[in-house]
Amino acid sequence: MESEKKRVLFICLGNICRSPIAHAIFEHLVKENGTSDKWEVDSAAIGEWHVGKQPDRRALKVLKENGIDFRHAVRQITQDDFDKFDYIFGMDHMNMSDLEELNGSRKSKAKVEMLGKYDPENVLVIPDPYYDTQAEFYPVYAQCYRCCKAFLKSFQ
Ligand code: 4NP
């Protein structure tokens, strides 16, 4: 039933590199394990710079190389997201302090955590690859994959 769905929102600064990678991976994993009807998955930006655009071509390339075709129009996080989603995942400490500032002192439904908290290899920060080359998108993909897999496993 719709109301039983768990809602997960992946956040990063621009919503063109890290959070769309995590979003695409998580959607892929729930499809793969046959539970996509139990999840609502989305991603969003802290900043407004890329709203309406598709993810960075380097992010789409690493996804495609891993068998994931993905399209997503960038959007900016809203205050309502803190009450709509059950989990909001940031990628680095700056994301976390921005999220804290955006939500203010309101008590919200969402559990706001760093995605890296779920990494079985204990790498907490998923670094911003935007100013780097394609090469830096591969470890970002691997980190997001490990974390998404472990987070999903925690429900099984
Ligand atoms: P993301 O990377 O937060 O992983 O999507 C960035 C994308 C764009 C910018 C910064 C980080 N930017 O400054 O435009």
Side-chain angles (χ1 to χ4, degrees):
M1 259 179 7
E2 186 74 13
S3 62
E4 289 168 3
K5 274 191 182 189
K6 277 185 272 297
R7 296 182 166 85
V8 184
L9 180 67
F10 297 97
I11 292 294
C12 64
L13 192 55
N15 191 211
I16 56 171
C17 301
R18 294 164 293 176
S19 62
I21 289 176
H23 175 173
I25 290 172
F26 196 76
E27 252 177 21
H28 179 76
L29 289 174
V30 295
K31 261 187 213 146
E32 205 174 57
N33 82 356
T35 61
S36 51
D37 58 327
K38 299 204 161 34
W39 295 90
E40 184 175 328
V41 189
D42 198 6
S43 59
I46 298 284
E48 65 184 348
W49 313 287
H50 302 283
V51 168
K53 290 191 204 158
Q54 284 298 307
D56 189 287
R57 63 186 160 69
R58 296 165 295 177
L60 295 177
K61 181 171 157 71
V62 69
L63 287 168
K64 196 160 182 117
E65 286 174 9
N66 283 280
I68 304 174
D69 272 313
F70 187 64
R71 291 192 67 73
H72 169 71
V74 171
R75 75 167 180 94
Q76 195 173 18
I77 189 170
T78 67
Q79 192 114 79
D80 290 346
D81 288 327
F82 289 92
D83 291 312
K84 175 181 176 188
F85 287 89
D86 299 292
Y87 294 90
I88 297 180
F89 289 124
M91 303 291 157
D92 57 29
H93 294 291
M94 199 169 82
N95 293 165
M96 299 312 285
S97 54
D98 286 340
L99 288 170
E100 214 175 290
E101 199 171 312
L102 282 168
N103 196 36
S105 54
R106 291 179 338 115
K107 199 165 164 46
S108 61
K109 164 176 155 183
K111 191 169 179 184
V112 184
E113 297 183 294
M114 284 179 85
L115 183 59
K117 213 185 110 184
Y118 290 86
D119 189 355
E121 295 186 16
N122 294 318
V123 186
L124 185 61
V125 171
I126 302 177
D128 180 358
Y130 183 62
Y131 294 104
D132 297 316
T133 66
Q134 178 74 52
E136 278 70 34
F137 283 68
Y138 293 96
V140 166
Y141 177 90
Q143 273 181 283
C144 289
Y145 187 87
R146 293 196 302 267
C147 296
C148 286
K149 189 113 185 152
F151 171 68
L152 187 56
K153 205 169 167 204
S154 71
F155 290 90
Q156 285 161 350

